[in-house]
Amino acid sequence: MNTPERSAAFILDDDQEKIEYAADTKVSNAGTFTFNKEDHTVGNLLRMQLLRDPTVKFAGYKHPHPLVHKILLKIQTTSSQRLPTEALSAAIEDLSNETDHLITQVTEAIDKWKKENDTGMLGM
Amino acid sequence: MPQQRFPKVEVLSVAPHFISFILSETDTSMANAIRRIMIAEVPTLAIDLVEYHENSSVLNDEYIAHRLGLIPIRFTPEGSMRRVPGGDCHQAFLPHRECVCYDRCPRCSVEFELDVNFDRVNQTRPEQERDLPLTVTSTDLKSNNPLVAPAHFLNEEEQDESHDEGISIVKLGPGQHLKLKAFARMGISKEHAKWCPVAVATYRFWPIITINAEACGMLTMEQKQELVDACPDRILELDEATGNLVPAENAYEMATFTEDLKTTQEAMKKRPEDEDFVSVVQSTDRFVFSVESTGAMDAEDILLSSLRVLKDRLNYLASEVENGLK
Ligand SMILES: [Zn+2]
């Protein structure tokens, strides 16, 4: 009766921002991003991409609880010339380009397979 | 400076209900994101609301509604030669929460009618089937949208071979009647598993099998055979001509990375610090995917659709970072 709506896992609550940012008060060049209604899919993807960036000193994420639909992503950069937000933007852009590349790769690979294995499926 | 990767994709096999491919030159975070999206975030259609006009069957309304929900609903984009990346139902339908209509409309839902009356059907049945229980199946669902229908075998040939009569919903006896209207909506399986387009979506790590020829030279044929037998998944073979150990050709399909090989060869070593004869490790940048569809979409479309979902999500996050933060 008091179970939360399943859709609360992916639809933003009223007046909820998708991403919130809080600069770290104790560590320089660091801050925590809160991604509302996201999970390991995006969290781990962003963390691994950020770790490939030489201007990023630290990147880590956590999903606080299975029923709390958000992830916290902490980023620390190597210098004050590089904001955590800039590093995040760059990571998202790289991943977006990688996905574009994958779409082309998959489409080409499937077409190639179908040409080589003419199973009559092409007309379907 | 961009840190972009350029992954490679190699298709192993494609069938309407199944696709298997190798994803390489990227890492687990990308492989796992694709797998998780195929399971939980690719939109499909599923029956979400049922209006009963008559139900005198042995199953109650809720039970039947649940069974209807689990029937894969297939959307076929117009023009069979379509090749839109991720040609899923998201271009043809609106999520019902975003639609402007009051309750439902053809933009956000598909209506199915089902009306099966035992007594009426019984008259038309052949003599030997007369009075036997009558199975109501997914083929009795009549859609109001020509592009949408309950999933079925993917070509007529398969259908003829299997004598498939659709997915059973309930059996009716004399005097029983089931009449209902069902409404399918677009959704994702984060909300309910009935919207999940895949039966299986997994990947396994590519095995890197290294055979130390020099060390293996010290082994007798019996010991080599013992190593071959030590692997429960049969990833090694003994080349009869040369007497050398070789990796099996389809080792990637079988490697399970058990410790059996390790313990067996430890026992064969003269000194514990000797080099391994054979080592099997997981590759961190090469993955073998298997994706099997429920029938709601073609397997290749599920894959393309998952990439489209990922792309849209990243673009959304990018715009939120650009405009939302400061
Ligand atoms: Zn509507």
Side-chain angles (χ1 to χ4, degrees):
Chain A
M1 216 180 296
N2 54 4
T3 42
E5 283 286 331
R6 295 294 299 268
S7 57
F10 55 92
I11 293 172
L12 285 175
D13 301 339
D14 293 339
D15 307 322
Q16 193 175 36
E17 292 289 333
K18 182 67 184 175
I19 307 175
E20 292 155 32
Y21 177 66
D24 202 302
T25 50
K26 292 181 185 139
V27 185
S28 54
N29 316 322
T32 303
F33 295 87
T34 304
F35 289 78
N36 289 310
K37 310 300 181 190
E38 287 298 344
D39 59 16
H40 296 289
T41 308
V42 163
N44 194 35
L45 203 54
L46 288 175
R47 177 190 63 153
M48 294 309 282
Q49 186 63 36
L50 283 160
L51 289 174
R52 291 161 47 79
D53 185 339
T55 67
V56 170
K57 198 175 191 177
F58 176 90
Y61 84 100
K62 68 175 172 185
H63 186 198
H65 187 278
L67 289 177
V68 178
H69 305 294
K70 64 179 177 189
I71 56 161
L72 305 174
L73 178 70
K74 185 167 246 177
I75 303 173
Q76 185 187 9
T77 57
T78 48
S79 89
S80 56
Q81 303 303 305
R82 178 82 162 165
L83 294 171
T85 313
E86 291 167 3
L88 177 63
S89 271
I92 295 176
E93 195 186 326
D94 288 341
L95 285 169
S96 178
N97 291 337
E98 181 175 341
T99 312
D100 270 339
H101 178 77
L102 264 173
I103 292 174
T104 336
Q105 284 286 307
V106 168
T107 318
E108 284 174 9
I110 291 173
D111 289 347
K112 180 166 168 263
W113 188 91
K114 284 184 178 171
K115 256 185 214 118
E116 287 168 3
N117 303 265
D118 192 2
T119 53
M121 268 179 51
L122 281 168
M124 274 186 58
Chain B
M1 89 205 78
Q3 304 291 322
Q4 199 203 326
R5 282 175 299 221
F6 296 91
K8 291 203 165 64
V9 176
E10 194 184 317
V11 169
L12 298 172
S13 73
V14 181
H17 64 283
F18 183 77
I19 185 167
S20 158
F21 62 96
I22 297 170
L23 174 70
S24 54
E25 295 178 36
T26 186
D27 74 354
T28 21
S29 67
M30 183 51 88
N32 209 35
I34 294 171
R35 182 191 65 86
R36 287 174 61 97
I37 293 174
M38 287 193 285
I39 293 173
E41 296 184 60
V42 168
T44 60
L45 295 169
I47 290 174
D48 196 35
L49 192 72
V50 185
E51 229 170 54
Y52 289 89
H53 297 274
E54 183 153 356
N55 176 15
S56 48
S57 77
V58 291
L59 298 185
N60 60 43
D61 294 359
E62 291 84 350
Y63 201 120
I64 292 175
H66 180 242
R67 291 183 66 79
L68 289 169
L70 295 176
I71 295 171
I73 306 288
R74 196 175 163 78
F75 165 72
T76 320
E78 247 166 335
S80 55
M81 287 302 283
R82 88 266 113 82
R83 193 69 275 172
V84 193
D88 55 42
C89 56
H90 96 286
Q91 288 152 325
F93 294 93
L94 279 173
H96 65 95
R97 291 184 189 87
E98 286 168 27
C99 193
V100 292
C101 65
Y102 170 65
D103 199 13
R104 55 179 167 263
C105 68
R107 280 291 286 147
C108 64
S109 62
V110 180
E111 192 179 312
F112 292 91
E113 280 190 58
L114 185 147
D115 185 0
V116 184
N117 187 330
F118 181 92
D119 296 332
R120 212 179 308 146
V121 178
N122 205 32
Q123 293 164 10
T124 63
R125 296 164 96 191
E127 192 67 43
Q128 69 273 21
E129 281 179 27
R130 206 59 62 84
D131 298 328
L132 289 175
L134 171 69
T135 310
V136 182
T137 70
S138 55
T139 50
D140 294 312
L141 283 166
K142 301 294 172 233
S143 157
N144 75 341
N145 182 331
L147 304 178
V148 177
H152 219 258
F153 279 91
L154 299 150
N155 62 50
E156 280 171 19
E157 194 186 328
E158 269 180 68
Q159 201 171 322
D160 292 344
E161 274 171 25
S162 70
H163 305 289
D164 173 82
E165 280 158 14
I167 300 161
S168 305
I169 297 167
V170 64
K171 288 184 178 180
L172 298 182
Q176 295 182 348
H177 185 192
L178 181 65
K179 187 177 181 195
L180 55 85
K181 266 187 190 174
F183 302 94
R185 286 164 166 171
M186 187 170 77
I188 60 173
S189 80
K190 266 191 177 182
E191 183 165 1
H192 192 290
K194 67 186 175 185
W195 278 295
C196 183
V198 292
V200 181
T202 58
Y203 62 85
R204 43 168 71 228
F205 297 97
W206 185 269
I208 303 173
I209 303 171
T210 322
I211 294 170
N212 186 333
E214 201 184 319
C216 284
M218 327 252 264
L219 294 172
T220 64
M221 286 308 272
E222 286 73 30
Q223 284 178 310
K224 286 181 185 170
Q225 188 59 44
E226 202 183 326
L227 283 177
V228 171
D229 296 336
C231 297
D233 36 27
R234 297 268 159 194
I235 54 173
L236 291 178
E237 278 169 6
L238 202 50
D239 189 327
E240 302 222 337
T242 61
N244 288 335
L245 281 171
V246 288
E249 207 169 288
N250 53 347
Y252 70 90
E253 291 174 1
M254 303 183 288
T256 48
F257 309 102
T258 52
E259 289 287 294
D260 304 39
L261 191 61
K262 209 157 188 72
T263 46
T264 311
Q265 59 177 323
E266 287 306 323
M268 286 181 191
K269 286 180 186 173
K270 296 217 165 58
R271 289 165 308 181
E273 64 271 24
D274 282 351
E275 280 180 55
D276 280 345
F277 303 110
V278 180
S279 83
V280 183
V281 290
Q282 299 180 335
S283 165
T284 52
D285 68 349
R286 197 166 160 87
F287 313 93
V288 187
F289 273 79
S290 308
V291 180
E292 192 180 324
S293 162
T294 58
M297 291 167 78
D298 283 354
E300 58 188 280
D301 289 331
I302 298 174
L303 172 59
L304 284 163
S305 186
S306 70
L307 293 170
R308 196 265 311 157
V309 170
L310 178 59
K311 171 82 188 153
D312 289 355
R313 176 72 47 79
L314 290 166
N315 287 351
Y316 171 44
L317 292 178
S319 73
E320 286 290 315
V321 173
E322 290 295 308
N323 311 319
L325 295 175
K326 201 53 305 151

